[in-house]
Amino acid sequence: ISFNCVDSSLSSLKNCQSYINTGMDIATHVALDLVESFNDVEDVNSMENVMLEYAAMDRELNHYMRAIEETVNQIKREKPENIPDLKYLVKEKFTALESKNSDSDLQKNEKYMYFKDQLKEMRKQFCHRSDNGNEAIEQIDEDIAVTQSQMNFICPITQMEMKRPVRNKVCGHSYEEDAILKIIQTRKQQKKKVRCPKIGCSHADVKGSDLVPDEALKRAIDSQNKQ
């Protein structure tokens, strides 16, 4: 039995998945734009719902592709004399996978988790500027907050303001992308692990795969420099 057509269809489905990923990236950027311009809460919640819808589509697509792959592998393994009903077998496996769905699955989607993490960081960076109250106290609080933020803008490796910050998903600390990747590469050649360069951090195994762009921090740095 030739599965060329099936392989071609799977390839097309994987392309669809890349479109979903792009949609999630766009939704994340829109949500960060909303926080930066102080259109928070309701508008941002609507973007979170969009992210969850994308996550559900991604899960359904993953289940369908897995059902197809398992069906093909089963037929290759069993080598039946007559061609079975592929559509029925795929549907059966797909239904079994979908029956195990839960809302918590969507919360564990990698891009959704990144969305939530960056949203939290974005609110930390920008929301203190929108607070109201006594002007003198507010100015002092803002000066302290800005000073603390500026300290966070400094890379613990280069001791310079970051231009392309990346965030460690494990310990939450950020570094200049080129600087941390250079250290990881050097230690890899020496067959040694990389300790997080942030003073006081106990995380002793920084990996390149744990680093994600820190969009919230980059926006805060850019915003501060514009002011």
Side-chain angles (χ1 to χ4, degrees), residues 82-217:
N82 299 317
I83 299 174
D85 187 338
L86 293 177
K87 191 175 179 181
Y88 173 78
L89 289 174
V90 168
K91 188 178 179 182
E92 193 177 45
K93 291 182 188 298
F94 174 72
T95 303
L97 290 167
E98 285 283 292
S99 67
K100 296 174 185 174
N101 286 350
S102 72
D103 289 342
S104 62
D105 298 340
L106 305 182
Q107 313 283 337
K108 292 172 189 171
N109 178 284
E110 195 170 331
K111 284 196 177 285
Y112 176 77
M113 288 168 68
Y114 176 74
F115 169 88
K116 293 290 284 182
D117 175 68
Q118 285 292 289
L119 212 54
K120 184 176 79 175
E121 290 303 308
M122 197 73 177
R123 283 170 174 150
K124 275 188 203 172
Q125 297 287 355
F126 285 90
C127 281
H128 71 268
R129 301 181 196 178
S130 63
D131 292 340
N132 294 315
N134 182 279
E135 283 188 15
I137 295 170
E138 186 181 314
Q139 186 59 49
I140 293 166
D141 288 344
E142 187 167 320
D143 288 344
I144 292 168
V146 168
T147 303
Q148 288 173 341
S149 292
Q150 285 171 332
M151 287 170 64
N152 293 332
F153 296 169
I154 303 300
C155 172
I157 303 164
T158 65
Q159 294 303 309
M160 294 173 68
E161 187 177 87
M162 288 179 270
K163 290 181 172 61
R164 292 181 62 182
V166 288
R167 181 175 166 81
N168 191 324
K169 291 189 290 185
V170 178
C171 64
H173 294 127
S174 296
Y175 336 96
E176 183 66 58
E177 184 178 31
D178 290 345
I180 188 66
L181 291 178
K182 191 174 180 181
I183 290 175
I184 290 170
Q185 185 61 34
T186 302
R187 291 285 198 280
K188 189 177 179 182
Q189 289 169 352
Q190 298 169 346
K191 296 183 178 177
K192 292 179 180 177
K193 291 181 178 180
V194 179
R195 177 174 284 277
C196 175
K198 187 78 173 177
I199 294 170
C201 183
S202 60
H203 182 48
D205 189 13
V206 179
K207 296 185 177 76
S209 57
D210 291 330
L211 304 176
V212 293
D214 198 337
E215 179 69 22
L217 183 55

